[in-house]
Each structure stands twice: as C-alpha cells, then as structure tokens.
Amino acid sequence: MKILSAEFVTSAANPSQYPPEGLPEIAFAGRSNVGKSSLINVLVNRKHLVKTSSTPGRTQLVNFFDINDYFTFVDLPGYGYARVPASVKKKWGPMIETYLSGRSTLKGVVVILDIRRTPREEEHNLIAWLAHYSIARILVLTKADKLSKTKQDKQRAAVARFLALDSSELILFSAKSRKGREDVWQAIEQFL
Ligand code: GTP
Ligand code: MG
C-alpha cells in the first residue's frame, strides 16, 4: 500500500461524535500498551501520527484517521489495564463494543497481541465476539523484537494452540524493526 496521506480526523467517546459513515474502516484492538498505536504509525510511515506512550491506557477514546482519502483506520482504547481509574475502565468495554457492533462501514479488525504473553479472557472474548458478529479479523503478534527467532516461532505456536487457531493466522510484527509490515498490509488489503 502506498501511503499518500494520513490525517487525524477526530476522537470520539460515543457514536454521536463519530464521523459520518463513508469510507471503509479498519479498527485496531488489543490490550492496553500492547502497541496498537505504534503499529498504525509503522503502517502509515509516520512516527507521530498516533500518540504512543510507555504509560498504559494512553488511548482512551476511539480515534479516527483518514488514510489516502480511501479508507479509515480506527485506533480503539486498550482494554485490561489494572491501574486505570475504575470510572475509565468501566467505559472501555461499552466504548469498544458500541463501535464494533454498530458501525456498518467496518470492514475488519486487527487484533493485536503481545508475543510474550499468553492470551487471556479478554482476548478470548474479543475473538469470540467478533466471530459471533461475523466481523472479519486478523491477528498480529507484536513486539517480536523482544524474543529470539526461535522463541518467536515457539510462542506463535503456543498462542495458536491456546486460541485454537492455525499458526499461519498469526502475523509476527515489530514496530521497532518494522518486521511484518508488508504481511500486515497484505492482510488489511484483503479487508478492503
Ligand atoms: P494504549 O493506547 O495505552 O492502549 O497503548 P497502545 O496499545 O497504543 O501501545 P503504544 O503503541 O502506545 O505502545 C506502548 C509501548 O510499547 C511504547 O513504549 C512503545 O514504544 C512500545 N512498543 C510498541 N510496539 C513495540 C514493538 O514492536 N517493539 C518494542 N520493543 N516496543 C514496542
Ligand atoms: Mg494507543
């Protein structure tokens, strides 16, 4: 995918603040601090289009980005971070679910997992939930640079077993080395 333009559109807490439905949308979902925003920045070749942070819970709204005036990337708030105030945490689930269930232009979801972590209940729920609503998805194992090549393969197989998926469904990625960028784009282009 050749990136001609990538622009922030708006942040929204609820559907009344979403931009009008128009271009096809691809959403990015995953645990807090997993690297959703960093993945988007690498995909669009922009270091700071999306704010990233070593403090989990940075993205607390649904953020829309126009890419090439052709489709929209949607950065969803990360779930599952224990140290976020309860008032914020309570809004996460509904905010993510409201977006995913009600957006007719949503073409697919990129589910991002940390390659070093075994998926937990939230990941199971998200994947089952997407299947239930017949929403297309791809899975990306990020922060691959944190493991040796041997451990990457081992961990990919373990995560696949855990989620009862074929390991070919899990794309290895690193925002640091940009490994896997082309593979992720290829999968996203299938959505479009
Ligand atoms: P929230 O918005 O808080 O949910 O986080 P996020 O999922 O958007 O994560 P973000 O992209 O802000 O990255 C979190 C931290 O992980 C930052 O310190 C990033 O630099 C780091 N990070 C993200 N991707 C990678 C990666 O592939 N490799 C390494 N080594 N670090 C990464
Ligand atoms: Mg973020």
Side-chain angles (χ1 to χ4, degrees):
M1 178 70 61
K2 190 162 189 229
I3 303 304
L4 305 170
S5 64
E7 307 287 340
F8 171 73
V9 178
T10 194
S11 292
N14 59 61
S16 70
Q17 299 166 340
Y18 295 170
E21 284 171 313
L23 299 175
E25 288 182 357
I26 313 294
F28 294 77
R31 192 168 288 279
S32 185
N33 207 45
V34 73
K36 296 173 293 300
S37 302
S38 302
L39 169 60
I40 295 177
N41 285 335
V42 168
L43 288 175
V44 302
N45 296 323
R46 294 270 298 272
K47 284 211 169 83
H48 305 292
L49 178 66
V50 191
K51 271 186 216 127
T52 63
S53 169
S54 52
T55 315
R58 176 79 210 185
T59 311
Q60 295 189 353
L61 294 166
V62 181
N63 291 304
F64 296 81
F65 301 88
D66 179 297
I67 314 297
N68 290 356
D69 288 327
Y70 184 51
F71 54 92
T72 302
F73 274 178
V74 181
D75 191 19
L76 294 170
Y79 50 77
Y81 182 58
R83 272 190 285 170
V84 158
S87 58
V88 174
K89 225 195 284 183
K90 243 180 28 202
K91 291 185 201 144
W92 268 341
M95 212 191 287
I96 295 167
E97 202 163 318
T98 300
Y99 168 78
L100 291 175
S101 61
R103 198 72 174 157
S104 69
T105 41
L106 179 64
K107 295 292 175 211
V109 176
V110 180
V111 177
I112 302 149
L113 302 113
D114 186 319
I115 191 165
R116 299 165 298 171
R117 312 251 177 277
T118 308
R120 286 189 273 170
E121 198 187 350
E122 290 94 335
E123 278 79 23
H124 274 286
N125 289 348
L126 176 61
I127 291 165
W129 195 86
L130 292 173
H132 178 77
Y133 285 96
S134 306
I135 300 172
R137 49 102 179 114
I138 58 170
L139 282 89
V140 172
L141 294 184
T142 193
K143 305 196 183 181
D145 57 276
K146 301 263 193 189
L147 297 180
S148 68
K149 179 77 180 73
T150 314
K151 284 201 175 139
Q152 288 174 23
D153 291 338
K154 237 174 145 171
Q155 194 56 18
R156 167 151 75 169
V159 173
R161 262 199 313 279
F162 208 82
L163 295 173
L165 300 171
D166 196 279
S167 95
S168 64
E169 282 203 64
L170 300 170
I171 303 173
L172 297 181
F173 177 81
S174 163
K176 204 169 164 187
S177 70
R178 297 164 65 91
K179 169 197 169 79
R181 180 179 180 275
E182 281 313 310
D183 298 327
V184 176
W185 263 125
Q186 241 176 45
I188 289 175
E189 282 168 25
Q190 300 296 313
F191 290 152
L192 299 165

